[in-house]
Amino acid sequence: MLTFSLRRLLSIPPLVLVVSFLTFLLLKQAPGDFYSQMEADPTRSTTEVLRQKENAGLLVRLDRNQLVAIGEFSDDGHRWSFADEGGERPVIRKDGTPVRAKEASRSLLKFQIDGIQYQCDDEAVVYRKVGAIEGFFSWLFNALTLDFGTSYKFNRPVFGIIAERLLNTLTLSLAALVIAYGLGVPLGIFAAVKPNSRLDHSAGIIAFLGLSIPTVFFALLAMLFASYTGWFPIGDMRSLDYDQYGFFGKIANRIHHLFLPALVLGTSAMAGYMRQARGNMIEALGQDYVRTARAKGVSEQGVLFKHAFRNAVNPLVTLFGYSLASLLSGSLLVEIVMNWPGLGRLIFEAISAKDEPLVLASVLISTLLLVFGNLAADILLAVVDPRVRLS
Amino acid sequence: MISISRNPLRWSALSFLAITLLIAGCTAERPAAPVTPPGEDASNQQSATQDTPAKPRVVRISKMDRPEEPKPDPSQPVGVPSPAFIGEVSPDAVVVDRTGTYGGRFVYAILGEVETFNPVEPKGATDQEIRALVFSPLVTYNNGKWQTEPALAKNWEVSDDQLTWTFFIRDGIRWADGEEMNVEDALFSFQAVFHPQIATSIKDGFKHPETGELPEVMADKERNALVFKLKRIDSQFLTHVGNVSIIPEHKWRDHLQEKDPTLLQQMTSNADPADLVGCGPFVLKQYVPAEKIVYQRNPHYWKVDSRQQRLPYLDEVVIVLVKDSNLMWQKFEAGELDIFEDVPADHFREAVAMEKEAKASLIRLGVSLNSNWVCFNLHPGKNPDTGEPFVDEAKAYWFNNLEFRKAVNHAIDRDGIKRTAFQGRATAIWSSITPGNKSWYHAGVPKYPFDLDKAKKILDDMGWTDRDGDGVREDDLGRKISFSLNTNVENNLRQQVGNLISKDLVNLGLEINFKPIVFNDLVTSLRDSHKWDMILLGWGSGVPPDPANGKNITLSSGRLHAWYPQQPEPATEWEARIDNLMAMMDEELDDKVRKKYYDEVQELIGQNIPILYLIAANSYAASQEGRIGNLWPSLLRPQMTWNLESLWKAQP
């Protein structure tokens, strides 16, 4: 088992590398970047937007020597060049005659030489655009020193921001997981023990409802329910007076807020587990060893839980491994609709705003969770099923 | 009994219903909002003592055409502030003509998240809005009166050549940490903004439009004044000064290094609240990411009311951070929020219902300053990689034809858009300045009222008729007039408007391919790839609502000069004239003369219609009935919280 785990762990670095590279490429391929919103704001000048891009590492400012080294190039029918004549800034020549910075910047907003893109601000300061590959390697290099970058949006190291939200999301998804397994598996088993009974049918109806109602809709219904009855808070993770409560008051307040979101998330996941448990159980109950056990005179409880259930549980354990990976991102929609201050919301906003460092860090965490979730599932499987040998 | 055991499901459902009704009956009774009829003034006066705060009277503000300035009411009980004020009132304290009662917690919500608390570069809209709670500028804009007024500076002087501005700082003002605020702090704040290595858009306004030079700033300690020497006359100088929040030098001196200053890495969203030292009415008490921001009274604040009581009245302000506007509305309906700014169209009916039940005041603010428009791509350039024109030849031929644009303008049924998409709560507009903008609206701009026959006649006269009988017109060279219309997919209302416009243009005999796309894609095609035909978007308005804020749109070199951005030189004579007029506006301090210049700009755009202004929605705000005193809602943002220091809350 040790060598198995070690081998799994060794496969992590190449996997992470590939995943982060693909994420990076996809982010770069989509049009626009984090600063597109700023560029659409009439009150911001090009100069300041480009300077922010430079600070974020998306652009590199060319110094005097690099400018001169560009040599002569043509853009929009004119010949341009930068010449060092000892002044404070290089002289810009348009078709051989020197022009003022302001005039040059109006023409040279964006130009391309040999496939490299350049941008120019209002004061004719020239920047070179950092390419996708170059950007990836500089990110990777920093990541090797455990510096995963600073969020463009928050101006802070990414893991600090993620840590703030991590616990909130874990609380919600673990509660949902407990509901999903705690209700789904027993219901599935009972349904399997008495197939086509009234219990089986009502469980089936619940399962189909859970599978077919979208989580968003369910969450909206729950919020309407809360606002009409007043029994539950309208969104949020805790009330505004939370800090004034005592210890038990705080716990009660949290549970009160947690109930609806966890129920919404849990019931939609529960349906799948219930159908899975029912199917496996029915299959196991039809096996020869169950008939043998019954013939031996084993009690019905013993047959169910010692023989059938232990054989039926394997796929559920595997599913559990996968559900670990979705712990962080699975609750996104519920978080938005029910105002839960979680990680899903943060990542979703980071993706839509193209806050690259934050997206990369969260993809890394999800990848690691998936790998460890699978590892945990395999190990659990070996524990519950003596037939499985990890080597 | 038998029937019960046979049908357990029905029985449990019935009992569940019964319990539900029972509990609902217990909780349905909600306490009514405190409303005191005006006749009870006398009794209020009797009980108006410091220790027994009686129910104060909150004037109902809805049903007014335009919210009026609240009046002071000397019968108002004073109440007890907690936390209490500290130290002496500054001899230069601003007197606000209001009365109110101390105490209470004011709760409102914003859509969005704090990116940084740093006032030197407030990134997002949220950051810009919340920085005024903690930090004060030298001068500030009064949204109620629509004018600039003194803040930390008690007054200012302009030299005869209009190049030297002197701001006299108030004496005896203290920072929230008790230190004295003086001209050094003001100087430090401007040095921070002017620092060459600090990237902030607040700096932009101060730059010389040609050379990029910044004004010189120096402290005159004897007169306790900050002196600016400008390189050119700048009509917007006061606005730019108002954008700079004053930050304490004693706190941040070491972070404004000459090389690689670390100031922007301070006061981030995980800063210690004690580090956020300002001169604003409140101090940060607690920030919980994605949940709430809690502020409490700044005990050193420098404004007093008409009874010489110190401001602010509110003990605490809580901003709830919400992601979803539906949820935000539900919170308001349930009474969790005291006010609701910018009531969206889809909650208008619920707001009216709340008003009828006397649960909330719905305030009609008038026509919004935000405009919706469509625009044709008039970019003459070519793609440097492929050598192909951004707009293909046939489309360029149609779009550059003024008569064609006139026909399109006449064919758009703005009244239909108003009725269908806005349910009647909007106004047709013919310029970027909507009728809501009292100071800059120009009624004399050319208008192109809906007249489909006239529009058809214009195209017929040019010979652009449908010759092959497929219902789509061909131009005089026989090319089918077909192009696409884009808008951003995130905005539902805009998609509806886009559909209506497409329908109108189909009626004119054009073929329209309407396609909403992601906002980022839209901005990229507008700015970089220039691959678009017709676009439907909107402009928001800044505060103050001066057209000089929109230079990036109006100037031919502007990045958002939508139809042909960042022109190397003005492409047409009228665009050159607009550039000139805008430059003249910059150097003219008299608003009457400036208005004349801008009227001409609006007329030029109206005559040449590079951009077709469509419609502006009506603006609404709501507040819980009888809860908040001294509200003075404004069309300008923030609508109701701009005078937070003089708002007070009725105690239940």
Side-chain angles (χ1 to χ4, degrees):
Chain A
M1 195 183 283
L2 191 70
T3 48
F4 173 81
S5 314
L6 266 180
R7 231 173 31 213
R8 271 292 176 84
L9 290 177
L10 278 179
S11 73
I12 293 179
L15 183 72
V16 164
L17 197 70
V18 171
V19 167
S20 48
F21 182 66
L22 286 179
T23 315
F24 207 88
L25 274 192
L26 285 174
L27 280 172
K28 289 283 180 198
Q29 279 306 308
D33 56 35
F34 178 75
Y35 297 93
S36 296
Q37 284 272 6
M38 273 190 191
E39 284 175 317
D41 177 354
T43 61
R44 285 177 193 268
S45 74
T46 316
T47 307
E48 295 312 324
V49 176
L50 291 193
R51 229 164 255 188
Q52 297 218 5
K53 279 186 169 187
E54 185 199 2
N55 289 346
L58 293 170
L59 296 174
V60 180
R61 193 192 293 224
L62 297 189
D63 63 20
R64 166 185 296 257
N65 294 336
Q66 287 166 316
L67 270 178
V68 175
I70 291 181
E72 209 184 46
F73 60 94
S74 75
D75 181 67
D76 218 12
H78 295 285
R79 309 287 304 164
W80 295 88
S81 67
F82 295 89
D84 190 355
E85 293 177 1
E88 197 190 334
R89 307 239 318 251
V91 175
I92 309 166
R93 289 176 185 280
K94 177 185 178 185
D95 296 326
T97 46
V99 288
R100 293 224 317 276
K102 187 79 190 172
E103 194 183 330
S105 66
R106 279 185 81 157
S107 312
L108 283 180
L109 287 164
K110 274 190 183 156
F111 56 99
Q112 238 182 23
I113 307 170
D114 302 332
I116 302 171
Q117 290 181 15
Y118 296 90
Q119 260 180 295
C120 183
D121 73 4
D122 297 339
E123 290 150 32
V125 175
V126 180
Y127 298 86
R128 179 174 59 83
K129 200 174 170 190
V130 174
I133 307 286
E134 184 189 354
F136 176 71
F137 278 103
S138 76
W139 176 81
L140 187 69
F141 188 73
N142 286 330
L144 288 179
T145 61
L146 292 184
D147 170 13
F148 289 91
T150 314
S151 155
Y152 298 157
K153 187 174 175 186
F154 297 97
N155 240 349
R156 287 168 48 198
V158 284
F159 279 112
I161 304 166
I162 291 182
E164 275 169 4
R165 312 280 184 95
L166 192 63
L167 200 66
N168 301 346
T169 291
L170 281 181
T171 321
L172 175 59
S173 13
L174 284 176
L177 205 64
V178 168
I179 291 181
Y181 270 90
L183 284 177
V185 173
L187 266 179
I189 290 172
F190 289 128
V193 171
K194 286 186 181 156
N196 297 323
S197 65
R198 194 169 284 165
L199 182 81
D200 184 21
H201 286 309
S202 26
I205 289 171
I206 294 175
F208 283 121
L209 282 179
L211 282 173
S212 54
I213 298 182
T215 324
V216 195
F217 181 66
F218 203 15
L220 283 171
L221 279 185
M223 285 294 90
L224 266 183
F225 175 75
S227 106
Y228 276 124
T229 59
W231 299 345
F232 290 101
I234 303 166
D236 299 342
M237 189 176 76
R238 46 197 168 188
S239 40
L240 291 179
D241 302 317
Y242 179 78
D243 295 320
Q244 287 149 31
Y245 296 150
F247 178 71
F248 291 105
K250 279 184 179 172
I251 291 184
N253 189 269
R254 284 216 178 212
I255 292 178
H256 193 202
H257 281 79
L258 181 64
F259 187 81
L260 279 184
L263 194 72
V264 168
L265 261 184
T267 42
S268 54
M270 175 187 91
Y273 297 133
M274 188 161 82
R275 297 310 284 176
Q276 190 79 33
R278 180 180 176 274
N280 295 334
M281 201 65 185
I282 284 180
E283 198 194 333
L285 284 172
Q287 296 289 328
D288 290 345
Y289 55 78
V290 170
R291 200 172 27 175
T292 314
R294 284 206 175 113
K296 267 196 325 192
V298 177
S299 71
E300 190 57 26
Q301 284 224 329
V303 170
L304 277 184
F305 293 103
K306 276 202 177 131
H307 295 269
F309 181 66
R310 287 196 63 177
N311 282 297
V313 85
N314 286 4
L316 289 172
V317 172
T318 317
L319 274 182
F320 178 74
Y322 285 118
S323 64
L324 276 187
S326 63
L327 273 186
L328 294 188
S329 50
S331 47
L332 164 72
L333 293 171
V334 172
E335 281 179 9
I336 291 179
V337 176
M338 304 177 107
N339 212 37
W340 192 265
L343 196 61
R345 234 166 85 175
L346 181 81
I347 297 173
F348 175 70
E349 278 159 42
I351 292 174
S352 49
K354 302 197 77 179
D355 191 346
E356 287 161 15
L358 202 51
V359 176
L360 278 167
S362 60
V363 168
L364 270 189
I365 293 183
S366 294
T367 315
L368 289 179
L369 269 178
L370 184 70
V371 175
F372 282 109
N374 277 347
L375 183 65
D378 286 340
I379 292 174
L380 265 179
L381 208 54
V383 173
V384 294
D385 190 344
R387 286 171 305 181
V388 178
R389 291 270 171 275
L390 301 178
S391 59
Chain B
M1 281 307 280
I2 295 163
S3 71
I4 290 169
S5 67
R6 266 200 196 154
N7 207 339
L9 263 176
R10 184 188 294 168
W11 179 244
S12 57
L14 274 175
S15 58
F16 176 71
L17 195 72
I19 295 170
T20 312
L21 288 173
L22 217 127
I23 300 178
C26 297
T27 51
E29 202 84 348
R30 287 216 183 105
V35 192
T36 320
E40 281 183 24
D41 267 6
S43 64
N44 262 353
Q45 225 152 6
Q46 283 170 357
S47 58
T49 50
Q50 294 240 350
D51 30 14
T52 51
K55 235 174 239 177
R57 188 168 67 97
V58 182
V59 180
R60 196 183 155 90
I61 48 174
S62 68
K63 298 276 184 197
M64 288 179 186
D65 281 345
R66 200 176 280 282
E68 285 169 24
E69 178 167 0
K71 291 180 186 66
D73 173 8
S75 64
Q76 211 61 249
V78 174
V80 188
S82 147
F85 289 98
I86 304 176
E88 295 291 302
V89 183
S90 147
D92 280 343
V94 176
V95 182
V96 185
D97 192 22
R98 297 281 186 280
T99 52
T101 307
Y102 285 122
R105 181 172 72 182
F106 180 74
V107 186
Y108 69 106
I110 49 177
L111 287 174
E113 181 53 273
V114 179
E115 294 176 26
T116 175
F117 286 111
N118 195 318
V120 180
E121 168 53 358
K123 283 188 164 174
T126 309
D127 304 346
Q128 288 173 18
E129 204 178 308
I130 58 171
R131 90 192 140 132
L133 269 77
V134 172
F135 297 96
S136 290
L138 291 184
V139 296
T140 187
Y141 195 77
N142 184 318
N143 285 9
K145 290 182 181 158
W146 289 52
Q147 69 183 38
T148 305
E149 52 181 34
L152 288 177
K154 57 186 166 194
N155 51 28
W156 59 86
E157 268 175 22
V158 193
S159 66
D160 288 339
D161 62 359
Q162 300 180 332
L163 288 175
T164 307
W165 292 69
T166 313
F167 292 85
F168 298 95
I169 313 288
R170 284 179 206 279
D171 284 318
I173 304 241
R174 290 193 178 274
W175 291 101
D177 64 359
E179 298 277 328
E180 198 175 326
M181 201 289 299
N182 56 35
V183 66
E184 299 276 325
D185 295 301
L187 180 66
F188 175 78
S189 308
F190 280 90
Q191 282 168 343
V193 169
F194 290 172
H195 192 294
Q197 288 189 6
I198 284 187
T200 163
S201 23
I202 293 176
K203 185 180 344 196
D204 288 334
F206 292 100
K207 284 182 183 165
H208 190 285
E210 291 300 321
T211 61
E213 278 176 296
L214 291 164
E216 277 173 59
V217 53
M218 59 214 99
D220 181 345
K221 278 186 205 162
E222 269 174 36
R223 295 194 294 166
N224 200 21
L226 197 66
V227 184
F228 291 88
K229 291 233 185 308
L230 274 58
K231 308 282 182 204
R232 52 140 189 167
I233 300 172
D234 181 3
S235 62
Q236 294 305 295
F237 190 64
L238 270 185
T239 306
H240 303 322
V241 169
N243 281 337
V244 177
S245 303
I246 305 303
I247 51 172
E249 193 212 0
H250 67 269
K251 193 102 193 147
W252 306 114
R253 193 185 296 135
D254 298 338
H255 289 284
L256 195 67
Q257 303 91 329
E258 205 157 303
K259 217 173 153 22
D260 300 325
T262 47
L263 189 62
L264 288 188
Q265 281 85 53
Q266 312 307 314
M267 301 184 259
T268 51
S269 54
N270 65 341
D272 177 3
D275 273 349
L276 281 168
V277 177
C279 288
F282 296 93
V283 291
L284 181 67
K285 187 178 173 193
Q286 186 196 20
Y287 163 59
V288 191
E291 287 184 58
K292 60 177 178 176
I293 321 172
V294 184
Y295 296 93
Q296 66 179 24
R297 166 183 298 119
N298 174 0
H300 295 283
Y301 193 56
W302 41 274
K303 282 188 185 173
V304 295
D305 71 3
S306 59
R307 289 185 294 196
Q308 292 296 310
Q309 302 288 340
R310 294 175 73 172
L311 296 180
Y313 295 120
L314 296 163
D315 284 347
E316 220 175 58
V317 172
V318 179
I319 300 179
V320 184
L321 301 168
V322 181
K323 237 350 326 140
D324 182 78
S325 66
N326 287 317
L327 189 83
M328 190 157 133
W329 177 259
Q330 281 179 7
K331 279 175 172 290
F332 178 74
E333 253 191 322
E336 285 180 29
L337 308 176
D338 292 327
I339 56 156
F340 194 98
E341 298 185 323
D342 274 317
V343 177
D346 37 347
H347 293 304
F348 185 81
R349 268 187 208 161
E350 292 148 72
V352 172
M354 281 180 81
E355 188 185 32
K356 280 198 184 124
E357 292 167 41
K359 278 164 78 184
S361 308
L362 178 65
I363 304 134
R364 286 124 176 111
L365 294 167
V367 186
S368 152
L369 303 187
N370 302 340
S371 58
N372 290 290
W373 47 263
V374 285
C375 168
F376 288 109
N377 190 350
L378 304 180
H379 203 302
K382 288 184 179 129
N383 187 336
D385 292 336
T386 59
E388 288 192 4
F390 291 128
V391 189
D392 64 39
E393 202 216 310
K395 284 175 184 166
Y397 177 72
W398 311 324
F399 298 163
N400 279 294
N401 188 320
L402 180 60
E403 293 300 311
F404 171 73
R405 301 202 296 266
K406 266 186 198 161
V408 169
N409 217 348
H410 276 300
I412 295 177
D413 181 8
R414 289 169 172 78
D415 262 351
I417 296 174
K418 172 182 165 180
R419 278 193 314 271
T420 317
F422 292 85
Q423 280 109 43
R425 291 184 287 272
T427 301
I429 54 170
W430 306 95
S431 160
S432 60
I433 304 291
T434 75
N437 193 335
K438 291 176 289 183
S439 338
W440 294 93
Y441 177 65
H442 179 37
V445 292
K447 300 184 173 75
Y448 303 87
F450 175 58
D451 187 343
L452 191 59
D453 295 331
K454 191 171 178 183
K456 281 181 173 165
K457 190 170 179 307
I458 294 176
L459 293 187
D460 288 343
D461 287 350
M462 291 194 297
W464 296 13
T465 48
D466 177 20
R467 269 161 270 165
D468 55 9
D470 62 351
V472 182
R473 289 168 188 268
E474 285 86 36
D475 66 6
D476 49 346
L477 300 171
R479 293 171 296 200
K480 191 161 123 181
I481 307 178
S482 161
F483 52 89
S484 61
L485 168 65
N486 296 126
T487 189
N488 63 320
V489 72
E490 291 89 349
N491 191 326
N492 273 330
L493 193 62
R494 223 171 258 164
Q495 289 193 47
Q496 283 184 44
V497 175
N499 277 320
L500 291 169
I501 291 173
S502 312
K503 213 185 73 204
D504 288 341
L505 297 189
V506 167
N507 289 342
L508 181 62
L510 312 180
E511 188 177 78
I512 305 295
N513 171 22
F514 176 53
K515 202 171 137 214
I517 56 177
V518 182
F519 182 74
N520 260 2
D521 293 4
L522 201 67
V523 173
T524 315
S525 57
L526 199 65
R527 287 250 303 109
D528 295 333
S529 67
H530 305 299
K531 266 288 185 203
W532 55 277
D533 299 339
M534 190 188 194
I535 245 172
L536 165 67
L537 270 178
W539 301 131
S541 172
V543 177
D546 192 289
N549 282 336
K551 264 194 269 181
N552 241 327
I553 300 166
T554 329
L555 291 182
S556 66
S557 57
R559 206 173 61 228
L560 297 166
H561 194 67
W563 55 95
Y564 175 16
Q566 301 181 307
Q567 305 173 3
E569 48 217 31
T572 59
E573 262 172 48
W574 56 267
E575 280 173 291
R577 172 71 185 152
I578 288 178
D579 285 4
N580 267 336
L581 284 165
M582 293 304 286
M584 281 153 71
M585 276 180 75
D586 272 358
E587 301 202 348
E588 175 59 61
L589 263 57
D590 184 351
D591 270 347
K592 275 190 195 130
V593 182
R594 297 181 70 230
K595 165 93 165 59
K596 238 177 237 156
Y597 292 155
Y598 200 68
D599 285 353
E600 190 183 338
V601 172
Q602 296 187 59
E603 283 166 22
L604 280 170
I605 292 185
Q607 283 153 15
N608 295 288
I609 32 180
I611 183 166
L612 288 64
Y613 286 101
L614 302 171
I615 201 155
N618 293 349
S619 206
Y620 303 92
S623 78
Q624 300 286 348
E625 184 63 54
R627 240 195 238 178
I628 303 298
N630 288 344
L631 275 178
W632 191 6
S634 166
L635 205 48
L636 307 172
R637 284 182 196 180
Q639 292 174 338
M640 298 164 101
T641 53
W642 61 272
N643 59 344
L644 209 46
E645 77 279 353
S646 57
L647 299 187
W648 58 274
K649 186 158 183 173
Q651 306 296 320

